Amino acid sequence: LRLWERVIIPPVPTGNAVERTDSRSTWAQFLSWLECVCVVTFDLELGQAIELVYPHDAKLTEKEKTSICYLSFPDSYSGCLGDTQFSFRFRQSIGRISPDFGEDAYDRDAPVTLQRDLGHFYGYVYFRQVKDVSVKRGYFQKSLVLVSRLPYVHLFHTLLQIIAPEYFEKLEPCLEAVCNEIDQWPSPVPGLTLNLPVMGTVLQVGTTPQSKHRDLPLRCFQSALIHLQVLWELTLLGEPLVVMAPSPTMSSEIVLALVSSIAPLKYCSDYRPYFTIHDSEFREYTTRTQAPPNVILGVTNPFFIKTFQSWPHIVRLGDPRMAGDLPKQVKVKKLAKLKTLDTKPGIYTAYKTFLQKDKVLIKRLLKGIQRKRPSEVQSAILRRHLLELTQSFIIPLERYMASLMPLQRSVTPWKTPPQIRPFSQEEFMATLEHAGPHLTSMLKGDWMGLYRRFFRSPNFDGWYRLRRREMTQKLESLHLEAVCDADLVGWTKDKSEVEVVDLVLKLREKLVRKTGVTFSQYKRKLQQ
């Protein structure tokens, strides 16, 4: 036992090493939902500038502040008057230390599409622009911005609808009260529905795959319903895609809807719901010296038409127009027809879909518009179709991946766990004849060609890495269970001290990797 304690249990940190030094520790609950709240205004001398950050000691770098400033206002081409809501996403500064709010516990159990983004921040914007003769420019222009790592689009925009109008009237005291209320919220818990009180209203939020965080509103695709299959395949394959829209509201809604269209598969490339020429990644994403990156960009500035002429897929949308009682549908056009000025709405691409379009679905949705079916019902029909399509595509991959896992009976306590078999594309393809997507989907087409193209995409790489990591963790857990059930004392009787110490060291490494600080806490309790 003394040998076990000496080797297995890590030494206890001493002195100040175990004390918290985070001055924001009093905002622990707030930080589990938001990084901070910003107010961005227009200064005649400085341009867009941050007027207020709350909590006041929020740790934003100058680069992050600049990104928030430029992304919080619609560009001058959008002509947004009144109140406007939209979303953006920007890269966090290199070297930033993430606050300790238990990401591991949350992300371990949350659906992959709702996990915290540890490399980016989301910005949820409520922008107000109204005439004001007391201001030199003649307009009051200000944005209230919620900055978070959580992709809870629906929740945070609903929250903004409650607090922003009040803030614009009552200013900082109102914001301080709201932040203190948020600091009383319970932390997000995967699988549970939470009641979150704010300003006399109770918001309900759930963290299940079915939760309404990134919605798929039909209005996003209303003018491109007949081309849903094109958009789904381009997103599934992680192709470089630019969405040009007349407003940041439309651009951010469409980009987020595209990313959500392949759920429960996680979109593993970069995406920017609203992207401007001032973005810190502008040069990186617009260089012509290399192939366009795997990213979806939402833009509103016509300048981008010229900038992105070399990109393979561009969706140009105008204000929704009706042809009679049906939305006017955009056409798929050749990239050569993309003009610098006066580019007409359309999907500019040479891409040919692997699968045929679902004409029954399109007819059903168009008829729903014609008969004025409620938008919530229309969106639910679309969401279910895309979910079933993605699941039909993913299930054969999941089934084949599971077959690569070693049998449980091959895991023994005294040997290193067996290896997971490597993924063989050809072996997987051979399974499709009897266990392919045709078992769950009515869509016809070249499914094998789609899989081969998918294997070269960032989304396959991300999916495979995640599944392999989960399987490796499962193997380690099975191995630890086997060790716990084994007769260790009996095993050590005919073993040398070197062999015993070698086994204990290996177990210590495994246990520390799985439980970390638990042993330090355990030893402190023993010493107390």
Side-chain angles (χ1 to χ4, degrees), residues 232-251:
W232 179 81
E233 288 190 18
L234 290 177
T235 306
L236 177 75
L237 300 174
E239 286 287 306
L241 178 63
V242 177
V243 175
M244 296 182 174
S247 70
T249 302
M250 186 181 287
S251 81

Side-chain angles (χ1 to χ4, degrees), residues 20-61:
R20 286 201 62 149
T21 58
D22 183 5
S23 62
R24 301 181 69 194
S25 59
T26 54
W27 289 97
Q29 294 306 111
F30 178 91
L31 289 171
S32 69
W33 293 96
L34 295 170
E35 182 69 18
C36 62
V37 181
C38 298
V39 178
V40 181
T41 189
F42 191 89
D43 185 284
L44 280 174
E45 295 182 358
L46 302 175
Q48 284 143 237
I50 290 184
E51 181 178 271
L52 174 68
V53 178
Y54 206 89
H56 296 303
D57 58 349
K59 302 291 192 278
L60 290 174
T61 67

Side-chain angles (χ1 to χ4, degrees), residues 396-397 399-400 403 421 423-439 447-448 451-452 455:
L397 286 164
R399 186 185 293 119
Y400 172 71
S403 73
R421 290 199 300 119
F423 189 104
S424 166
Q425 294 183 17
E426 295 308 316
E427 190 177 70
F428 166 74
M429 290 295 190
T431 68
L432 295 180
E433 184 178 354
H434 302 291
H438 63 277
L439 297 178
W447 285 96
M448 294 184 73
Y451 280 115
R452 290 191 188 281
F455 290 146

Side-chain angles (χ1 to χ4, degrees), residues 349-364:
T349 179
Y351 180 82
K352 302 295 182 185
T353 59
F354 288 92
L355 306 180
Q356 298 171 9
K357 65 179 67 173
D358 191 328
K359 294 181 181 179
V360 175
L361 170 80
I362 295 167
K363 187 176 180 180
R364 186 182 179 192

Side-chain angles (χ1 to χ4, degrees), residues 139-163:
Y139 286 93
F140 171 93
Q141 295 175 306
K142 196 167 285 191
S143 287
L144 183 63
V145 188
L146 305 181
V147 180
S148 177
R149 298 175 189 273
L150 292 168
Y152 290 4
V153 182
H154 184 73
L155 169 69
F156 289 130
H157 278 306
T158 303
L159 180 61
L160 280 169
Q161 289 167 13
I162 296 170
I163 66 175

